[in-house]
Amino acid sequence: MNLNELYPFAEDRKSRKRVGRGSGSGLGCTSGKGNKGQNARAGGGVRPGFEGGQMPLQRRLPKRGFKNYLFKVEYEVINIARLVAAFEGKSEISLDDIYDRGLCPFGAPVKILGEGELSAAIKVEAHKFSQSAADKIRAAGGEVKELEVEG
């Protein structure tokens, strides 16, 4: 037996509504649509959000917040402590090294945060650095190289 061969038993399946098949069926006469009106007509009904001509809720409320989601840049964050642990004894850490080590998905913009301690001088390459991370790297005698985000 395969997954595509699984199905519920006949008694477990709900039978569809058969409207307009006589008054004995419970859905005869007006077919469950009530008497007259826009919703009783063929092709009738109003679009979602329509409030009978009253200003709809989605237009009554003010616009707020960030709407330009297509161009929102979300950074993968890496703390200095994690960076030092992953690249122990290395003096230069490039973006490709970070991707190769699996610290973040390939091609994702990277931001380095300042949590953790730094003993040796390292040269780090990333898209963004927090102020504390940049200060710690420079204080240890290292170098910070910010790259532009593609997109």
Side-chain angles (χ1 to χ4, degrees), residues 28-117:
C29 187
T30 56
S31 302
K33 286 175 170 262
N35 291 308
K36 300 186 187 174
Q38 187 174 9
N39 290 321
R41 314 286 185 211
V46 293
R47 66 182 178 275
F50 184 70
E51 298 184 19
Q54 172 176 300
M55 188 61 68
L57 184 67
Q58 70 268 25
R59 289 189 60 199
R60 288 198 302 266
L61 298 176
K63 290 190 226 173
R64 289 184 58 122
F66 183 76
K67 301 281 189 304
N68 202 2
Y69 301 111
L70 266 177
F71 301 100
K72 184 177 184 179
V73 179
E74 293 210 24
Y75 291 92
E76 291 287 329
V77 294
I78 302 171
N79 281 308
I80 285 179
R82 193 165 165 217
L83 211 57
V84 170
F87 298 101
E88 208 165 323
K90 206 166 182 196
S91 61
E92 277 193 39
I93 302 169
S94 71
L95 198 59
D96 292 330
D97 295 337
I98 293 171
Y99 292 145
D100 292 341
R101 197 59 59 97
L103 294 178
C104 68
F106 183 80
V110 177
K111 182 172 182 176
I112 307 297
L113 301 183
E115 194 175 298
E117 292 305 315

Side-chain angles (χ1 to χ4, degrees), residues 4 12-13 16-17 26 32 37 44 52 59 62 67 72 90 96 105-106 114 121 124-125 131-132:
N4 65 326
D12 292 339
R13 282 180 276 188
R16 68 182 182 86
K17 268 189 195 178
R59 289 189 60 199
K67 301 281 189 304
K72 184 177 184 179
K90 206 166 182 196
D96 292 330
F106 183 80
V124 185
E125 197 177 87
Q131 190 65 52
S132 63

